Amino acid sequence: MDYVLILTFAGIAVFLMVWMPKLSQYTGISYSVFYVLFGYIIYLLFPQHLPNPIPADNLDFTLHLSELIVIISLMGTGLKIDQKFSFKNWSSPLKLVFITLILCVTAVFFLGHYILGLSLASAVLLGAVLAPTDPVLASDVQVGPPNEKYTSKTKFILTAEAGINDGVAFPFSWLAIVIGFSMSGQNVSFLKWFTYDVIYRIAVGVFLGFITGKILGYIVFAASKKHSFLKTSDGLLALATTLLVYGCTELIYGYGFIAVFVCAITFRHYEKKHEYHEELHSFTDQIERLLLCILLILLGGSVAMGSLENITWQTLAFALIFLLIIRPFFGWLALRKSSLNFRDQLIVGFFGIRGMGSVFYLSFAFTKFDFENKNELWTLVLFTILLSIAIHGFTANKAMKKAD
């Protein structure tokens, strides 16, 4: 590796990211497309001078970098949602999580096991990995900064869904791991999976996220009025809170993804109109884009270095069926009785973007159990993500202009 060359390319990538959101608006193409192409080109030109981008060869690095960007994205996602939580107000995103996500897991399982020939555990894992909408790459279809004058209902639904489902999908990853141990002859309990990995871990995530958000809101917005030393306008608080909440929740085996998002929502609505939320969101957005450009370059580089060399027509067919039929249909199915018109129901269903969350879940599962079909799973997931970046990257801006 050439350290100076790496710094140079990193500098170029981050420098360009300053103007990338505006370029995306002007061209109508998501900047994710440009960064994947950039990564592909530089790895074709300088393969020996850059770090190995193949995720399977750098499992721990891939796991922790994708984990970091997801939790930062979840904090930013929660901070920019203006709609206060209630089951009535959030009924549409909740339907996408508890209906669409589960149906997508089921459909992918059947395709993976009965059509692609994956083992039982690997097919369940594939469903768990691809079912959740990604909060990282979905910024083009999400609401804007806090306290926007107008918020599209379609964008709100997609934003809230992306915030919720990354944590809710975790039990299915654990289910795949439990099935894997069961198929290998080890004694496992599916009742324990349900009570511990589903109920306990979700409950802990929600509880700690809510309590932390309330405490933070009290310190920043209430106690600071009495004690001036507590006053702050530093965006660094968002990153610190993200790491603290996530770490504390994971230490007691709750789902940190859920805790971070719930904390962000709770804190945001402690004093909803306060301008400090804009500073916090701006800071998280910048950190997220910094990490994202690195990950997208590595994703493009992995293609150049052969991560998709085993691709088959079955892989192509699977990705197309999932992105263009399964997710859109089940998304529409969950929202067919909502207040959205038919066109916007189709838009919400169509923009189930796959991304860095899928990379994290797959890496995480591979650190817990030695799954069969590892190479096939990496190929299926990476190709689906790339196809999602291409399809959604060229259509998101145009579709969002027509939404609502």
Side-chain angles (χ1 to χ4, degrees), residues 51-331:
N52 184 357
I54 305 294
D57 296 341
N58 302 278
L59 200 57
D60 287 337
F61 175 78
T62 303
L63 171 66
H64 295 307
L65 188 58
S66 58
E67 178 182 38
L68 182 60
I69 193 173
V70 169
I71 60 175
I72 290 173
S73 178
L74 288 171
M75 175 59 70
T77 300
L79 288 172
K80 66 185 178 182
I81 295 179
D82 292 335
Q83 186 76 275
K84 188 174 182 179
F85 178 82
S86 72
F87 287 105
K88 181 179 179 181
N89 293 337
W90 286 52
S91 61
S92 291
L94 288 173
K95 288 177 182 177
L96 288 174
V97 172
F98 293 105
I99 297 176
T100 302
L101 185 143
I102 293 174
L103 290 175
C104 284
V105 172
T106 305
V108 170
F109 161 73
F110 277 103
L111 281 178
H113 187 57
Y114 294 104
I115 304 300
L116 299 178
L118 300 178
S119 68
L120 192 66
S122 296
V124 173
L125 179 61
L126 183 63
V129 164
L130 290 179
T133 300
D134 188 59
V136 181
L137 292 177
S139 59
D140 291 329
V141 298
Q142 292 183 356
V143 297
N147 297 319
E148 272 190 319
K149 292 183 179 179
Y150 171 74
T151 300
S152 160
K153 188 173 183 180
T154 302
K155 286 187 175 183
F156 157 69
I157 293 172
L158 287 167
T159 307
E161 179 205 5
I164 300 171
N165 67 8
D166 250 321
V168 175
F170 228 134
F172 294 102
S173 296
W174 278 110
L175 177 61
I177 294 167
V178 171
I179 292 174
F181 280 119
S182 176
M183 298 296 290
S184 65
Q186 297 192 37
N187 186 24
V188 296
S189 170
F190 288 94
L191 177 62
K192 181 183 178 182
W193 165 79
F194 181 74
T195 56
Y196 181 66
D197 293 313
V198 179
I199 297 176
Y200 170 77
R201 287 183 160 177
I202 290 178
V204 168
V206 172
F207 177 75
L208 277 187
F210 178 77
I211 293 298
T212 308
K214 284 291 186 182
I215 293 173
L216 184 64
Y218 172 77
I219 293 172
V220 173
F221 300 122
S224 63
K225 295 177 181 178
K226 300 178 181 178
H227 309 284
S228 60
F229 72 92
L230 290 174
K231 291 183 179 180
T232 180
S233 59
D234 200 332
L236 187 61
L237 179 67
L239 178 60
T241 302
T242 301
L243 300 177
L244 180 63
V245 173
Y246 185 79
C248 289
T249 306
E250 291 290 324
L251 282 173
I252 58 173
Y253 305 104
Y255 288 134
F257 285 177
I258 293 178
V260 170
F261 182 68
V262 172
C263 174
I265 288 288
T266 306
F267 174 72
R268 169 67 204 284
H269 290 275
Y270 193 96
E271 194 164 324
K272 180 179 175 181
K273 297 295 183 180
H274 201 286
E275 61 185 13
Y276 185 36
H277 295 300
E278 297 171 23
E279 177 65 31
L280 293 172
H281 173 264
S282 177
F283 186 85
T284 58
D285 181 62
Q286 291 173 42
I287 298 297
E288 180 184 343
R289 286 190 287 135
L290 168 64
L291 295 173
L292 179 59
C293 68
I294 295 172
L295 277 163
L296 289 172
I297 288 171
L298 292 174
L299 180 61
S302 72
V303 178
M305 298 300 288
S307 63
L308 298 182
E309 62 184 4
N310 296 322
I311 194 170
T312 63
W313 70 265
Q314 290 96 332
T315 304
L316 174 61
F318 168 83
L320 287 171
I321 290 171
F322 177 73
L323 293 175
L324 300 180
I325 298 176
I326 292 176
R327 159 65 198 203
F329 175 72
F330 288 142

